[in-house]
Amino acid sequence: MMKAGFYTKMASDGMRKNSRLYVPFLVTCILMASIFYIIHFLGCSGVMQGMAGSGTATDLMKMGSVILIIFITIFLFYTQSALIKGRKKEFGIYSILGMNKSNIGKIIFFETVIIWGVTLFFGLLAGIGLSKLAELGFSRLIGARRGYSFSVSISSVVSTVIVFTVIFFFIYLNSVRQVRFTNAIELVNAEKAGEKPPKGNLFVGALGLITLGTGYFIALRIEQPLSALLWFFIAVILVIIGTYLLLISGSVILCRLLQKNRNYYYKTNHFVSVSSMAYRMKRNGAGLASICILLTMVMVMIASTSALYTGAEDVLNTRYPNEIGAFACKYGYDEELITLGGKLDNDIKQIAESRGADIHNNKTFFEYSISGYMENSRVEVSLNSLTDMAFINYDKVAQIMFIDVNDYNRVFGHDEELSPGEALVGTAKKIEIGDVLTVADVSFRIKKRIDSNIREIDPFAEGAASPTVFVIVNDIQSVAKNYIGYEDYNGEPMLAWFWNCRFDTGLDNEGQIALAETLDNCLGDELKGLGFSNYYCDSHELERGDFFSTFGGLFFLGIMLSIIFLVSCVIIIYYKQVSEGFEDRARFEIMQKVGMTKDEIKKSINSQMLTVFMIPIVFACIHLAVVLPIVNKLLMLFGLFDFKRLLITSGVCVVLFGMIYAVVYKLTSNAYYKIVS
C-alpha cells in the first residue's frame, strides 16, 4: 500500500525533472489567472461603480471574462495534452515496473493539484498586486477619475478559484483518460508515434483552399455595415477552417516539393531539416495554423480597438456635431405633427435662452421615413411577412427619408426648386439609382443627385446599419399620405415621422450638460402619452464620457486579451520547438557521427526554422489584409469612417508583432539547438 506522500513526491520529482516543459506551463497558468482576476475585478466587483462613463466599460469587462473562460479552457486543455504526451514514456516505464493505471492516475492527480495550487496562489497574488495599476490604467483610458485607495475583491477571488478549479478538474479527467486507454508498450513508444511519413492529401488541401477562398470572398464583397455584422463570424469561421486544412495538407506537399528540388534538398543545411519536417508535417501544420490564427486575432484586435480609441474624438464630433441635439419619433401619419414640431422647437429654444444660451447653427427640421427592399431603383415596402424577411439580401434593405424642399433650403442654405413628382436624391452608400426612383407605387423623377450634401443632413448617415436614401420633395405632406396604408408584419404603420433639432449654445461644458438634462425632461413632459415611440435630448459633452468609456474599455479589453493570445502563441511555439528538438536529437547525433559539424547543424536548424516559422506570419499578414475591409465596415457602425487610421494602426501592429515574433523565433531556435546538440 503506497502512502499519499509517495505519490506527491513522485509528482513533484516528475515535474522537476521535466521543468523545461512545466515551468512555461505554470507561468502561463499564473498569467491567465492574474489577468482573469483583473478583468473580473474591473467588471464584476463594483470597484468602478459610480465613476463617470464606467457603465458600458464594465459591461465590456464582464463580456471579456466570459471570453477568457472559453479561451483559457481550450488552451489549457491543448497545452496539458502536450505535457502528458511528453510524459507518456515515463508513465509507460512506471507501468512496466509494476504500477497500475490507478497508481499513475494518482500521480497525475497530485501533479494537477500542485499546478492548481501554484496557479491560484501566485496568480491571485499577481492579480491582486497589479489590480490597482490596471484600475488606474483602465480609468485613464475611459476618461474617468479614480482615487488611490487599494481594495481586494472577494467575489473576484472566489470566481477565479471556482473557474480554475473546474478547468483543472476536467484537465485531470482528460489526462487520466489519455493514460488509462493506452497500454504500457504504447506509452513507452508514444513519442515515436507518427514517424511514418504522412501523405499530402490533395482533396483536403483543395477543400482548405476553397474554404479559405470563400471566407476571403465574403470579407471582400461586403458593402454595407449591417451585412458585415451578419457575415463577419461566418467569414472568420471559414478562414479558420480553411487555414487549418490548407496548412495541414499544404505543409506536407511543401516538404515533398522541397525534396524533389535537388538543388535545394541535397545541401547540408537543408537535407536533415526537410527530412525531419516531412515526418511530422501533418501535426506541424495544425500547430502552424494555431499560431497563424492567434497572430491574426491579436493584430485584428489591437488594430481595430486602437483605431477606435485614437479616433474617439472624431467619432464623437461626427455623431454629435452640435452642442445640443433633440429627437422625437412617432409612427403613422398625423397632420397635427407639423404644429407639434413647431411648438417643441419654440419651447426648447425659449428654455435654452432662459439658461443663457446664445443659439446659433440651428438645424431644426422634420422627415417622414419608410423602409423597404431596394433593387433597380425601386423600393418594395410590402415585404410584411417573417418568411420574406428571412430570405432578403440585407445589403438592399434601405431607409427612405423624405424631406420638404423648403426645410432643405432653409436649414442647409440651398436654393432649390422642385415641381410635383420631382426629387433631389442623395445617399452615403454605394447605391445605383437611375433617372426615376419608385417607392412603393409612387415614382419620383430625379432632378439632381445631392450625395455630397448628405453629411450636412445626417453626419452619421455613412455609419447607418442599412443604406439611407434622402429624397427631397416639393410637398412632404402630400408624399407622406401615399404611404398611410402600409403596415409591417405586426400590423404597425411603416411610415414614421422624425423631428430633429440641433443647435449650439456657447455655454461651457457643465452648462451644456445641465441644459440637455432640462430639455430631456421638457420633451418627456410634452410628449408623454402622445404615442411617441422614442424621444430624447443629448449633448456633445454629455455623451463624451460614454464614448470614451466604450472605446477605452474596448481598447483595454483588446490589450488584455491580446496579451493572453500572444503568450499562448509563444507557448505553442516553445512546446513545438522543445518536442521537435527531442524528436530530432537522435537524428542529429547520427549526422554528427558521420561528419556533420556544429556549424552545419546550426545552418540546418536555421533553414528549418525559417521555412516553418515564416509560414504563420505570412499567412497572418494576408488574413489581416483581407479582413481589414470588413473590419472597416464594422467600425463604421461605431461612427469611425477613417480607413486610413485603421491602415496605420494595422501597419504598426504588423511591425510590432513581427519584431516580437522574430525575438520568439530566435529564443526558441536556441532552445531547439541546445536540445539537439
Side-chain angles (χ1 to χ4, degrees), residues 73 136 158 296 351 393 554 619 634:
T73 302
L136 293 173
V158 172
T296 306
I351 294 173
N393 181 355
L554 283 170
F619 264 78
L634 291 173

Side-chain angles (χ1 to χ4, degrees), residues 373-385:
Y373 187 75
M374 185 170 183
E375 191 169 20
N376 298 325
S377 299
R378 182 180 182 87
V379 182
E380 178 61 60
V381 298
S382 60
L383 292 175
N384 52 11
S385 72

